[in-house]
Amino acid sequence: MNRDLIKNYLCIMYPVFSLVYFFYLFFSGIRTGIVMTFFLLLGIAGICILGLIDLKVTEDKIFSLYVVYNLLSGIWCIAFGMPAGVFIGEVSTTVLPMMLYYAGRGFDDEYAGRYYHGYILAALFMGTVGAVLYIWAPQFYIDFSYDNMFISLADVPTMRVRMESLTGSTVMACLAAYSMCASSFFLRKDDRRSRNIGLVYIILSIVYAFMANQRSAMFCIILMLLFFNLIDFLVDKRRPLKYLWMEIAAVAALLLGIFVFVRGIIDKFWARLSSIPAGFGERSESWIAAVNNMENFWIGDGLGSRGHRAAPYEEYIVADGGLVKLYAEMGLIGTSLIIFVLVLVYIKAFRKQPPISERKGPVRKLSLVVPELAIVTSAILMSIGSNVLEMEICAPIVYFALGRAVRKLNEDIPGEEYVGAFEDKEQEGREPDMEGAPAAQGDGL
């Protein structure tokens, strides 16, 4: 089987997902979840065929153990009284996307770029369709939004509170926020064409995320823009500080223009952002109830036991709060596993790189994984108030970015020559040519 074909399929999965949702707008009989699960299973089969599931470093081993733990939790999920269908449904939306971690681990810069291109184009396609429908407001779309419970009243003013697009505003905002983060992959390239593409991607992603009007996504975008500037001006130091002042002046001018001519927009977004603390208060009662009513705080209540599918069977579910849901379902043991992986990633990101005399580059490895850390960090932050990691269309990009970060952080010398030495065991059993390549860092801390 053509290995490049499999990789390219993985890179176009998100465009396929976006088309599934687009056709669902006109054909209500399409089961979007089932169709996406089918394409995800094909992708996972491709990952297995490519031999990308490996346990080279500590992060791989712990993450794989976490995946297995999620699957094993079905035993006590059912034993504690939850129907098997709830667990199986949660596997399709939560565990299957985790397997994209191994694609991130196995993809070199070329294929990672293709994957990010595919993801961003899919997110922007859904944002563009959503923006057209938001402005046009045709009756068939208002009915579609009402039938899918995106809006509470089937009228134009209600439909225009947030840009719901084809998935609902929560998913659309999440996709756009990740798209903005992934765009930095291209913005940080050396060639002008890639940087221009990255700039267009970032601008459109920000516009669509703010049109979706979800406060967690807007907060993440503002925070990640600050993060990008921190890396560019303080860590990499490859851009003169005068550009920072130019950027600040441009943003100030934009905000001033909006304030003078369309002040209502700023008032609207500020009202949403300033309500973030209140959002915690609204959800804290259900979070506390879910944790206090766990069957076993060590092993948790099992995958799916506190999600939306469990609502008919469980009084204390976590409808909005992915981190609390994770703890309630995985317990102290399961939660510790994924936290361990994340801690290793962040620790390694702040390590200094090996000194290389003839190479100009960042002082710390942090700058090697800017898009990946931005995506993963945004997912963590949004998971405080939303269950974004149990949304089948939102989760794969997060695990791909996590795997990609692990790959980059465990390379002593970044770059295509080094990556290529390990990439593609595709040459029919040939071992990679390691002559002149540096020794791997290993799998320890």
Side-chain angles (χ1 to χ4, degrees):
M1 184 177 292
N2 190 316
R3 301 174 71 87
D4 287 336
L5 180 63
I6 297 175
K7 288 185 175 183
N8 286 325
Y9 169 76
L10 290 169
C11 293
I12 65 166
M13 272 207 307
Y14 264 106
V16 170
F17 290 169
S18 66
L19 289 177
V20 170
Y21 273 97
F22 181 73
F23 288 127
Y24 176 60
L25 176 63
F26 304 101
F27 305 101
S28 59
I30 294 176
R31 302 290 296 274
T32 54
I34 293 175
V35 175
M36 284 194 297
T37 297
F38 171 75
F39 285 113
L40 261 178
L41 287 171
L42 287 181
I44 293 168
I47 290 171
C48 295
I49 292 171
L50 292 173
L52 298 182
I53 299 178
D54 211 337
L55 304 177
K56 283 190 175 72
V57 298
T58 299
E59 295 94 315
D60 295 340
K61 297 168 186 175
I62 302 302
F63 184 81
S64 298
L65 184 59
Y66 175 67
V67 174
V68 172
Y69 188 88
N70 272 265
L71 294 174
L72 290 177
S73 73
I75 297 173
W76 50 90
C77 178
I78 296 171
F80 290 150
M82 197 60 57
V86 171
F87 168 72
I88 293 171
E90 198 75 10
V91 167
S92 68
T93 58
T94 302
V95 177
L96 293 187
M98 292 180 188
M99 301 303 290
L100 270 295
Y101 168 91
Y102 300 102
R105 283 288 284 120
F107 278 16
D108 62 8
D109 279 356
E110 178 186 354
Y111 277 99
R114 292 185 189 183
Y115 186 88
Y116 286 141
H117 266 307
Y119 171 78
I120 294 169
L121 291 174
L124 296 184
F125 169 74
M126 297 181 76
T128 302
V129 172
V132 170
L133 294 171
Y134 178 88
I135 296 169
W136 180 19
Q139 187 59 46
F140 79 88
Y141 176 67
I142 295 174
D143 294 338
F144 168 85
S145 299
Y146 182 77
D147 292 341
N148 285 275
M149 295 183 288
F150 298 160
I151 56 178
S152 57
L153 296 173
D155 56 32
V156 174
T158 305
M159 187 274 292
R160 283 183 173 155
V161 171
R162 301 186 181 98
M163 185 182 76
E164 304 289 348
S165 187
L166 306 172
T167 57
S169 60
T170 300
V171 173
M172 183 64 247
C174 181
L175 294 175
Y178 294 158
S179 176
M180 193 278 291
C181 296
S183 299
S184 64
F185 180 89
F186 306 102
L187 197 63
R188 296 174 60 77
K189 292 292 185 182
D190 291 332
D191 63 289
R192 182 182 296 273
R193 181 175 179 274
S194 293
R195 292 201 304 270
N196 289 339
I197 290 174
L199 182 61
V200 172
Y201 283 168
I202 280 184
I203 292 173
L204 290 176
S205 299
I206 293 172
V207 169
Y208 294 149
F210 274 75
M211 287 182 70
N213 199 19
Q214 287 291 335
R215 51 196 171 190
S216 61
M218 292 189 289
F219 173 77
C220 286
I221 281 180
I222 294 171
L223 189 64
M224 290 307 117
L225 287 174
L226 294 174
F227 172 59
F228 295 160
N229 281 290
L230 172 69
I231 298 298
D232 281 345
F233 294 105
L234 297 182
V235 178
D236 287 359
K237 297 181 180 178
R238 58 185 179 185
R239 295 174 62 191
L241 280 176
K242 67 178 182 180
Y243 289 111
L244 176 60
W245 294 113
M246 291 169 61
E247 186 177 317
I248 292 173
V251 171
L254 175 64
L255 292 177
L256 180 62
I258 294 175
F259 182 81
V260 171
F261 296 105
V262 279
R263 181 175 176 177
I265 293 179
I266 288 184
D267 292 339
K268 177 181 179 180
F269 291 140
W270 176 249
R272 289 291 291 163
L273 288 169
S274 61
S275 68
I276 289 178
F280 292 127
E282 294 167 1
R283 294 168 169 81
S284 59
E285 185 176 342
S286 64
W287 295 347
I288 294 170
V291 171
N292 287 342
N293 287 276
M294 290 172 62
E295 297 285 347
N296 189 304
F297 79 93
W298 285 105
I299 62 173
D301 291 355
L303 184 66
S305 61
R306 299 289 171 168
H308 291 86
R309 292 182 179 85
Y313 315 101
E314 171 60 56
E315 180 179 358
Y316 304 104
I317 66 166
V318 183
D320 296 293
L323 300 184
V324 177
K325 176 180 178 292
L326 171 65
Y327 174 73
E329 294 182 350
M330 295 293 103
L332 191 60
I333 296 174
T335 305
S336 297
L337 292 175
I338 191 61
I339 289 177
F340 188 31
V341 174
L342 294 171
V343 168
L344 285 177
V345 167
Y346 284 105
I347 288 176
K348 289 184 177 181
F350 282 91
R351 280 182 173 176
K352 290 185 178 180
Q353 296 184 89
I356 302 173
S357 59
E358 296 182 1
R359 178 176 174 271
K360 292 181 179 179
V363 176
R364 298 187 184 276
K365 287 195 169 186
L366 177 64
S367 59
L368 303 176
V369 289
V370 169
E372 289 77 22
L373 282 191
I375 292 170
V376 171
T377 304
S378 295
I380 294 171
L381 293 174
M382 284 190 280
S383 291
I384 296 174
S386 302
N387 296 357
V388 293
L389 290 178
E390 73 166 355
M391 298 173 182
E392 196 169 12
I393 193 171
C394 294
I397 181 65
V398 178
Y399 292 108
F400 178 89
L402 180 61
R404 175 78 181 156
V406 171
R407 177 189 178 95
K408 297 296 290 182
L409 292 172
N410 284 282
E411 295 171 353
D412 282 339
I413 300 177
E416 288 299 315
E417 291 181 3
Y418 177 74
V419 173
F422 293 96
E423 182 59 27
D424 299 341
K425 303 169 181 178
E426 303 176 1
Q427 307 197 358
E428 308 285 320
R430 274 185 59 189
E431 291 294 323
D433 181 8
M434 296 300 297
E435 184 176 351
Q441 181 175 329
D443 62 355
L445 276 172

